[in-house]
Amino acid sequence: MNLDSISVESIRDSLRERKYICDRSLATVVYLSVRLGKPILLEGEAGVGKTEIAKVLADVLQTRLIRLQCYEGLDSNTALYEWNYPKQMLRIKLEEIGSRDRESVETEIFSEEYLISRPLLDAIRTDGAEPPVLLIDEIDRADMEFEAFLLEVLSDFQISIPEVGTIQAQKRPYVFLTSNRTREIHDALKRRCLYHWIEYPTFEKEYEIIMTKHPEIQTLMAEQICAFMQQVRQMNFYKRPGVAETMDWASALLLLNRAELDPEIVKETVGCVFKYREDLHHLEEELSGEKLDMDRILKEPATVVGGNPQ
């Protein structure tokens, strides 16, 4: 894609062609991020499509996706680089046989030839025609110390390695940070990013997503699935299902050759939607107490939340 000719609509259309349905507001933030060269911080509940948009955009831009999965205890060395110690040791042993000068050997083994790039350094060192998409996934799971270190990298897109020197990006990567908001991200990091919160989809949007991903699905069942999801997301579950669970459930129902929902198949396949025992038990209570309007979901799904996808 030619960056000089892109627009909000062209990004939205390109994402849609690859079966990612997004609102104009999200497409606008992505457009601004690409054109301004600023990272974008995407927050929202798990399973609403934060990670997926980075993957799809890499395909749109025809460039590499480099992913850094964050976790508690992640440090700068793991995210940046490490030395190829086995290769260094082998070189030292070979040079010992040849009795070469020790100082010159040490200089050689701490060169870029022996450097193993991890995601951040890989994104900065890239020499392709198009800069990569760097996905820093679930930054809220990393420690505050790593978040502080990330500030420097995202400010200058350069890394200083004592034995090698400073390596600076020739082309800034397109950076996506995602957060499920298990903790608050520091203001200093947010100020360096454009920000967007991805909501749970509306009935109409979720219906469109299902029909795009599964064009073979029956219209009635797609509506029933969306109506069910809209209702349970308004209830007090420990972990409300996202779009990812919607897609899993639709795939499972198609595999079972179902054309529409009924109470029995909901009970049999609800493990595609809820992943905690407490939520499964709570759903049984809601069904038995008739707080979940299954009759209306099954017979008039488009009216449950005032939706009318057709």
Side-chain angles (χ1 to χ4, degrees):
M1 177 180 283
N2 185 353
L3 295 186
D4 294 329
S5 63
I6 68 169
S7 64
V8 173
E9 288 303 326
S10 67
I11 285 183
R12 190 179 183 185
D13 292 343
S14 296
L15 294 173
R16 184 184 296 272
E17 287 172 9
R18 290 159 178 81
K19 300 183 178 182
Y20 187 94
I21 309 300
C22 74
D23 302 323
R24 182 178 172 83
S25 59
L26 177 55
T28 301
V29 174
V30 172
Y31 168 78
L32 293 173
S33 175
V34 170
R35 293 306 302 267
L36 296 174
K38 289 182 70 69
I40 175 172
L41 172 60
L42 297 174
E43 288 194 323
E45 300 293 342
V48 293
K50 302 185 297 296
T51 299
E52 187 66 18
I53 191 170
K55 296 178 181 179
V56 176
L57 185 67
D59 185 45
V60 170
L61 299 174
Q62 297 183 341
T63 188
R64 286 196 304 148
L65 173 73
I66 299 174
R67 180 174 180 173
L68 173 62
Q69 179 62 52
C70 297
Y71 54 87
E72 186 177 352
L74 175 66
D75 59 20
S76 57
N77 288 336
T78 307
L80 271 176
Y81 69 91
E82 63 178 330
W83 292 105
N84 191 334
Y85 295 117
K87 188 175 179 180
Q88 287 175 323
M89 293 301 297
L90 179 60
R91 178 65 181 272
I92 291 171
K93 289 184 180 297
L94 291 174
E95 295 300 343
E96 283 177 350
I97 296 174
S99 300
R100 279 193 61 193
D101 177 66
R102 178 178 176 182
E103 187 173 335
S104 63
V105 172
E106 287 180 354
T107 302
E108 289 179 10
I109 65 174
F110 285 102
S111 62
E112 289 199 44
E113 180 186 351
Y114 296 87
L115 196 63
I116 299 176
S117 295
R118 294 306 179 201
L120 293 181
L121 181 57
D122 190 18
I124 287 176
R125 291 175 81 188
T126 187
D127 55 0
E130 189 70 32
V133 172
L134 173 61
L135 170 61
I136 303 174
D137 211 9
E138 298 184 321
I139 182 63
D140 53 318
R141 293 185 181 275
D143 300 327
M144 294 290 287
E145 292 77 10
F146 179 77
E147 188 180 323
F149 154 77
L150 202 57
L151 291 174
E152 181 181 356
V153 176
L154 296 181
S155 294
D156 303 321
F157 287 94
Q158 68 178 29
I159 293 170
S160 296
I161 301 174
E163 300 86 351
V164 175
T166 300
I167 300 176
Q168 188 166 17
Q170 298 301 311
K171 295 181 179 179
R172 288 195 169 199
Y174 307 111
V175 182
F176 285 77
L177 298 95
T178 72
S179 167
N180 294 331
R181 212 170 182 181
T182 57
R183 69 169 176 84
E184 195 65 40
I185 304 301
H186 198 277
D187 287 345
L189 182 58
K190 285 188 174 182
R191 284 197 300 270
R192 285 163 173 78
C193 303
L194 300 176
Y195 179 83
H196 189 80
W197 175 272
I198 301 182
E199 299 280 359
Y200 284 120
T202 61
F203 179 94
E204 293 83 1
K205 181 180 177 181
E206 195 155 28
Y207 175 84
E208 185 179 2
I209 293 171
I210 291 178
M211 297 305 294
T212 301
K213 295 278 190 180
H214 299 291
E216 72 278 19
I217 198 170
Q218 293 294 319
T219 298
L220 175 60
M221 189 165 74
E223 291 180 355
Q224 290 171 333
I225 292 171
C226 293
F228 181 89
M229 288 298 192
Q230 292 294 318
Q231 280 214 358
V232 298
R233 287 182 189 136
Q234 297 173 28
M235 296 178 175
N236 188 28
F237 289 98
Y238 175 73
K239 197 67 175 178
R240 290 179 294 177
V243 181
E245 284 72 33
T246 303
M247 294 302 105
D248 287 346
W249 196 25
S251 298
L253 292 167
L254 284 171
L255 191 62
L256 294 170
N257 298 314
R258 304 296 301 197
E260 59 182 272
L261 293 182
D262 60 53
E264 255 339 281
I265 198 64
V266 170
K267 291 179 182 178
E268 291 172 4
T269 59
V270 74
C272 297
V273 179
F274 294 105
K275 309 300 170 68
Y276 290 88
R277 181 182 178 186
E278 296 83 357
D279 284 344
L280 293 174
H281 181 66
H282 184 48
L283 179 64
E284 289 180 8
E285 291 179 339
E286 296 287 1
L287 289 170
S288 61
E290 297 184 353
K291 292 182 180 179
L292 191 62
D293 193 351
M294 285 302 299
D295 284 342
R296 194 174 173 193
I297 287 173
L298 298 179
K299 295 176 182 177
E300 300 177 311
T303 69
V304 170
V305 289
N308 186 16
Q310 296 182 340

